[in-house]
Amino acid sequence: MYAIETEALSKTFHNIAAVQNLNLKVPEGSIYGFIGENGSGKSTTEKLICGLLVPSGGGIRLYGKHYTDPGVRARMGVLIENPGCFGNSTVYQNLMMQALNLNIKNPKAEVERVLKLVSMAGAANRKFSKCSLGMKQRLGVAQSLLGRPRMLVLDEPINGLDADGMRIVRETLIELNREEGVTILISSHILGELAKIATHYGIIRNGTLIKEMREDEMSGECRDFVFAKTGNNAQAIGVLSQKYKEIEQKDEGIRIYDESESSNVGGLLYANGIAVNEISFRKIGLEEYYLRIMSNRKGAA
């Protein structure tokens, strides 16, 4: 079953299409990384799914039911853009107000639970206005976790977080997904972080979904290569091209795609008197893969 499924979903603002004919499929129990440039339609899509905007066309189903079904909506946790908090209230008070608003039984215990999940128990008495951007984002994530939702929709939840904050959020989401089966739709500009947690991906551009794939499919397209930096890359390419067909000069070095052993490349260069400054076995990352797709799409436009 799909936790989220859209069919020809569209949204226009003053005759300008923000989302058009979007067919999104988020499998139940997945962590779905939603990727796109600024203005691509990510936030608009998430707002439509969460009922914060009304579609101009198409449909949305959540766990096979219409997206307005109250039983389904009650099991959603949402963080879109910025957390809705009162500046003069403390972290604890803001969470307690949200817990009461959601009619959660034993709200005190629930607030304490989510504070521990995002490692903010020590900041419970700090006013929201005195929190750093990263702390505000973690508080927003904590709000979305109140009531043990079955599904999370998170828009840029790691924006403004330092390395430790990103780690905390990342580990929290992985734990919720693996141990409690929570489905997570998450967008982020920090693609390296998405690559650490996502099981599925969707890539959107100009309001149109251009690709959906599983993590294993993504890994298959993010190719392996031997990377080498030498004292004379031009000479090295001349030598390597006699044996290898797929060679690319990039990042001040050389990529050899049709070789899996760095020692073979190093040995060949050494035999031809070329000094090797650096050599390693690498893989194309999610960010580079995304940029290549965007470049190809722009070139075809």
Side-chain angles (χ1 to χ4, degrees):
M1 176 186 290
Y2 294 113
I4 303 171
E5 185 174 11
T6 71
E7 184 176 357
L9 183 63
S10 300
K11 180 63 180 179
T12 59
F13 297 98
H14 306 293
N15 297 320
I16 297 175
V19 173
Q20 45 191 335
N21 296 317
L22 192 75
N23 296 306
L24 188 76
K25 291 180 172 61
V26 179
E28 184 176 2
S30 67
I31 300 179
Y32 189 103
F34 200 28
I35 306 169
E37 301 166 311
N38 286 334
S40 62
K42 299 190 305 298
S43 294
T44 299
T45 300
E46 291 177 321
K47 288 176 182 177
L48 289 165
I49 291 169
C50 296
L52 300 175
L53 291 173
V54 178
S56 301
I60 306 169
R61 289 187 294 276
L62 305 177
Y63 295 102
K65 298 182 179 181
H66 193 269
Y67 78 109
T68 59
D69 182 276
V72 174
R73 302 212 65 80
R75 299 304 306 275
M76 292 181 69
V78 177
L79 173 59
I80 303 290
E81 295 177 351
N82 301 310
C85 294
F86 295 96
N88 287 326
S89 297
T90 66
V91 167
Y92 182 88
Q93 289 168 338
N94 273 292
L95 286 170
M96 182 60 75
M97 283 186 279
Q98 180 69 350
L100 294 171
N101 183 53
L102 294 172
N103 198 30
I104 291 174
K105 295 180 180 179
N106 198 354
K108 181 179 179 180
E110 179 63 2
V111 167
E112 291 174 352
R113 181 186 74 86
V114 298
L115 280 171
K116 289 179 181 177
L117 277 175
V118 298
S119 298
M120 284 193 67
N125 294 320
R126 182 175 300 191
K127 286 188 176 181
F128 179 75
S129 60
K130 301 297 182 181
C131 290
S132 66
L133 175 60
M135 293 177 70
K136 289 176 180 178
Q137 285 299 105
R138 282 158 63 190
L139 175 55
V141 172
Q143 284 184 318
S144 73
L145 299 177
L146 287 168
R148 298 182 181 272
R150 185 180 178 189
M151 176 197 304
L152 290 175
V153 178
L154 306 174
D155 181 31
E156 301 284 352
I158 55 179
N159 180 43
L161 296 182
D162 58 18
D164 192 52
M166 285 191 281
R167 177 191 60 78
I168 291 168
V169 171
R170 179 176 70 244
E171 291 177 353
T172 299
L173 297 181
I174 290 174
E175 179 181 348
L176 290 168
N177 175 256
R178 293 179 180 174
E179 296 186 10
E180 300 184 26
V182 177
T183 301
I184 303 169
L185 172 63
I186 176 174
S187 67
S188 178
H189 285 103
I190 307 176
L191 302 188
E193 284 297 309
L194 277 187
K196 296 175 183 177
I197 64 172
T199 62
H200 294 72
Y201 296 95
I203 301 174
I204 187 172
R205 182 169 184 260
N206 295 332
T208 301
L209 192 69
I210 63 174
K211 197 164 189 126
E212 276 189 318
M213 59 203 315
R214 300 187 308 271
E215 188 278 332
D216 60 326
E217 294 172 321
M218 176 73 78
S219 294
E221 296 202 22
C222 291
R223 302 177 63 194
D224 298 326
F225 59 91
V226 173
F227 178 78
K229 282 187 179 182
T230 73
N232 189 329
N233 284 341
Q235 183 183 357
I237 289 173
V239 169
L240 293 169
S241 61
Q242 296 177 32
K243 180 177 180 180
Y244 302 109
K245 294 181 179 180
E246 293 190 76
I247 299 174
E248 178 184 23
Q249 187 164 2
K250 191 176 180 67
D251 300 328
E252 300 181 353
I254 306 165
R255 293 183 176 188
I256 304 96
Y257 291 99
D258 46 345
E259 176 59 80
S260 59
E261 296 292 338
S262 57
S263 60
N264 292 338
V265 174
L268 179 60
L269 293 172
Y270 179 79
N272 284 271
I274 300 172
V276 178
N277 300 327
E278 177 184 341
I279 192 164
S280 59
F281 187 68
R282 299 185 182 181
K283 186 180 187 69
I284 291 174
L286 174 58
E287 185 167 2
E288 181 179 339
Y289 176 76
Y290 167 74
L291 291 173
R292 286 189 176 192
I293 287 181
M294 291 296 102
S295 177
N296 291 338
R297 296 286 298 191
K298 288 175 183 177

